[in-house]
């Protein structure tokens, strides 16, 4: 696995003339897991889309190894950086194995043959995501959770050094959420893959992240270790929520307990 640098500098971006990201500066920690958190519509998905070149910045740059990603050949970029968007769409009638095999396209030239290495990459991705038994089934016949795991398998088959995932645990029950996050942790530790993902669950984010990015209003509110970022003050300012942050008894990472009007000790109205 090759170390790569991915840096956003002065990054602004948006849609339909509306600026969502506003002057972001961030160097993604190489070979680590970075998790982006924030309230709805704060710019998390826009940030990932801009990092992956799906969205062009209105200002600033995204630099991969010091070069602008917008000046790179698409196939070259796709061999280094992969993206699993929030709501991918599969071609009608495509089978699981055919979809996962598409992750190998950046590694193939126009006239190159399918190789044993390609088969091994696809089989490994199917096995890792526990979708091997689904290989011959049409993707559009799967449940939401099964489809999500298949898309993750396609991203793994791409075998990029940097992997961006927008809410990869969407549609998954808690058991499969943990499976996916454990899988991504294995990928990071065994291959050194740099992983950047958006998660909604603050406690899972803190447990699995090496670095947390808290976003608010299209800007980076805080960046650092989970201990530095997941604080009661951050939860109040970014999410508008009162909370208590304690130590997770399993991971020793910070754990956020939301404070609501009900289900409080001594609250008989709960």
């Amino acid at each position: 696995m090759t170390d790569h640098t991915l840096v956003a500098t002065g990054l602004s971006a948006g849609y339909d003339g509306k600026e969502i990201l506003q002057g972001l500066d961030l160097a993604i920690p190489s070979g680590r897991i970075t998790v982006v958190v924030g309230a709805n519509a704060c710019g998390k998905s826009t940030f990932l889309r801009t990092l992956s070149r799906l969205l062009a910045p209105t200002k600033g740059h995204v630099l991969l190894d010091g070069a602008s990603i917008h000046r790179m050949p698409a196939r070259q970029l796709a061999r280094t950086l992969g993206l699993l968007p929030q709501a991918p769409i599969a071609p009608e009638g495509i089978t699981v194995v055919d979809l996962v095999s598409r992750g190998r396209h950046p590694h193939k030239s126009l006239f190159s043959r399918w190789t044993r290495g390609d088969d091994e990459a696809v089989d490994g991705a199917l096995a890792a995501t526990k979708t091997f038994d689904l290989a011959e089934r049409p993707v559009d016949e799967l449940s939401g959770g099964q489809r999500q795991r298949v898309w993750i398998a396609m991203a793994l088959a791409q075998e990029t050094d940097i992997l961006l995932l927008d809410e990869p645990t969407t549609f998954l029950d808690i058991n499969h959420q943990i499976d996916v996050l454990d899988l991504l942790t294995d990928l990071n530790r065994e291959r050194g893959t740099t992983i950047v993902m958006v998660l909604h669950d603050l406690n899972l984010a803190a447990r699995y992240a090496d670095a947390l990015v808290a976003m608010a209003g299209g800007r980076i509110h805080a960046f650092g270790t989970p201990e530095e970022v997941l604080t009661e003050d951050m939860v109040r300012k970014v999410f508008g929520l009162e909370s208590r942050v304690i130590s997770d008894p399993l991971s020793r990472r910070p754990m956020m307990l939301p404070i609501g009007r009900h289900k409080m000790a001594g609250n008989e109205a709960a």
Side-chain angles (χ1 to χ4, degrees):
M1 187 65 65
T2 304
D3 282 337
H4 295 279
T5 60
L6 184 63
V7 178
T9 172
L11 194 65
S12 297
Y15 307 92
D16 301 323
K18 180 180 179 182
E19 193 170 80
I20 296 174
L21 303 182
Q22 303 178 40
L24 271 65
D25 292 297
L26 183 66
I28 301 298
S30 180
R32 312 294 281 177
I33 296 176
T34 299
V35 179
V36 184
V37 299
N40 289 341
C42 73
K44 303 184 298 295
S45 295
T46 302
F47 183 42
L48 251 62
R49 288 174 63 84
T50 310
L51 284 181
S52 68
R53 202 169 77 172
L54 281 184
L55 183 64
T58 55
K59 298 176 185 175
H61 304 278
V62 177
L63 304 176
L64 177 62
D65 298 332
S68 170
I69 62 172
H70 291 277
R71 297 177 182 173
M72 291 183 179
R75 192 178 294 271
Q76 176 187 339
L77 179 64
R79 285 196 291 263
T80 302
L81 188 152
L83 170 71
L84 178 62
Q86 192 176 89
I89 300 174
E92 185 176 354
I94 193 171
T95 64
V96 167
V97 68
D98 285 341
L99 181 64
V100 175
S101 295
R102 292 192 173 200
R104 302 302 300 160
H105 286 185
H107 301 275
K108 316 301 291 181
S109 65
L110 184 60
F111 299 106
S112 64
R113 291 184 172 185
W114 191 263
T115 67
R116 181 182 180 87
D118 295 318
D119 281 329
E120 291 174 350
V122 171
D123 288 348
L126 290 169
T129 53
K130 300 179 182 178
T131 55
F132 205 93
D133 292 342
L134 304 174
E136 300 303 326
R137 291 183 58 184
V139 173
D140 51 18
E141 292 182 3
L142 303 180
S143 69
Q146 289 172 327
R147 283 196 300 270
Q148 189 72 355
R149 284 187 285 146
V150 168
W151 281 110
I152 292 171
M154 190 190 78
L156 297 185
Q158 194 173 337
E159 292 187 326
T160 57
D161 292 339
I162 301 172
L163 185 56
L164 312 179
L165 306 104
D166 194 354
E167 299 185 30
T169 56
T170 299
F171 305 121
L172 301 181
D173 59 33
I174 187 62
N175 179 44
H176 287 121
Q177 288 182 45
I178 298 301
D179 278 348
V180 165
L181 293 173
D182 281 345
L183 167 64
L184 294 172
T185 299
D186 290 341
L187 186 67
N188 168 258
R189 291 178 178 175
E190 294 169 9
R191 298 186 189 177
T193 305
T194 297
I195 293 174
V196 185
M197 58 181 160
V198 170
L199 291 179
H200 272 298
D201 189 312
L202 286 177
N203 293 330
L204 289 180
R207 180 177 288 190
Y208 284 90
D210 297 305
L212 275 182
V213 179
M215 292 186 62
R219 300 179 183 274
I220 294 176
H221 175 82
F223 170 69
T225 66
E227 291 79 8
E228 292 168 333
V229 174
L230 184 48
T231 65
E232 293 170 10
D233 183 63
M234 184 279 284
V235 175
R236 182 182 305 111
K237 291 179 177 177
V238 171
F239 295 92
L241 178 68
E242 294 298 325
S243 67
R244 292 291 179 268
V245 174
I246 64 173
S247 176
D248 183 330
L250 295 179
S251 67
R252 304 301 179 190
R253 296 288 186 87
M255 182 170 69
M256 188 275 295
L257 304 176
I259 297 176
R261 293 184 297 107
H262 301 290
K263 301 300 181 186
M264 300 286 289
N267 185 350
E268 300 303 327

